[in-house]
Amino acid sequence: RARRADEMIRAVDAALTMLGDGSGGSMDAKRLFDGFDPAQHEAEVQERWGDTDAYRESARRSKRYGQDEWRRIRDEQAAIYADAAAALQAGRAPESAEAMDVAERHRQSIERWFYPCGPAMHTNLADLWQADARFAESIDAHAVGLTPFLAAAVRANARRHGG
């Protein structure tokens, strides 16, 4: 289960990588994702997850995305992280309904745009965010301490949904 979850997590990176190689849209990926350059991770993504169903599904979906879709994804993710940061800064517990609702929106966004992401998969993503400094740095750019807060909200949300 953990291996499958890890594979699906990387599918998001695979989709972003497609922006870097020109197959996912015409907009410059670094500009679209605030300086993040998915092309820098292309070899790692391909080596580790290129043969997984999640990678293939993410690739299938993202191939049809143009500039407008990638902007919508970026904006949707930014709103989710802003709402998570607001909950953190307001002193909400990760187990609060507000924090879990944000976590659920995050899960649904991944599922909508990239690949199936059930509560258990989302929990494994949360583990990855905390284990991989690259993810933590990206998430914490929205608010100091957001990574552990959002990861805990994801886990609480998974429990809420029986995961």
Side-chain angles (χ1 to χ4, degrees):
R1 188 175 109 190
R3 182 183 160 278
R4 185 173 185 276
D6 195 42
E7 292 170 357
M8 293 183 88
I9 290 165
R10 294 302 177 180
V12 170
D13 281 342
L16 295 176
T17 297
M18 284 178 221
L19 283 175
D21 70 13
S23 64
S26 59
M27 179 176 249
D28 176 60
K30 286 176 76 173
R31 191 163 43 100
L32 182 64
F33 290 103
D34 300 322
F36 173 77
D37 185 1
Q40 291 179 346
H41 305 285
E42 185 174 352
E44 175 187 358
V45 169
Q46 186 63 38
E47 180 182 325
R48 293 178 73 180
W49 299 280
D51 64 343
T52 65
D53 290 340
Y55 179 92
R56 285 187 290 274
E57 177 63 14
S58 184
R60 183 189 69 75
R61 291 183 190 186
S62 61
K63 278 183 187 178
R64 69 178 186 246
Y65 298 159
Q67 204 169 341
D68 289 340
E69 288 83 5
W70 287 113
R71 280 191 185 115
R72 285 176 48 207
I73 292 167
R74 179 202 57 200
D75 293 348
E76 183 176 305
Q77 288 295 308
I80 290 167
Y81 288 127
D83 290 346
L88 169 66
Q89 292 164 350
R92 303 290 187 267
E95 299 80 13
S96 70
E98 180 181 349
M100 288 189 294
D101 289 348
V102 172
E104 179 62 15
R105 284 176 39 220
H106 185 271
R107 186 193 69 74
Q108 289 174 358
S109 179
I110 293 168
E111 191 161 282
R112 176 176 32 266
W113 293 106
F114 298 107
Y115 55 84
C117 183
M121 171 61 67
H122 204 211
T123 296
N124 289 327
L125 278 171
D127 293 342
L128 178 67
W129 303 335
Q130 291 189 286
D132 189 322
R134 296 172 294 183
F135 286 98
E137 181 180 333
S138 175
I139 294 169
D140 283 347
H142 297 273
V144 174
L146 188 58
T147 301
F149 176 81
L150 186 56
V154 165
R155 291 182 190 103
N157 185 55
R159 287 189 301 273
R160 175 172 72 167
H161 291 283

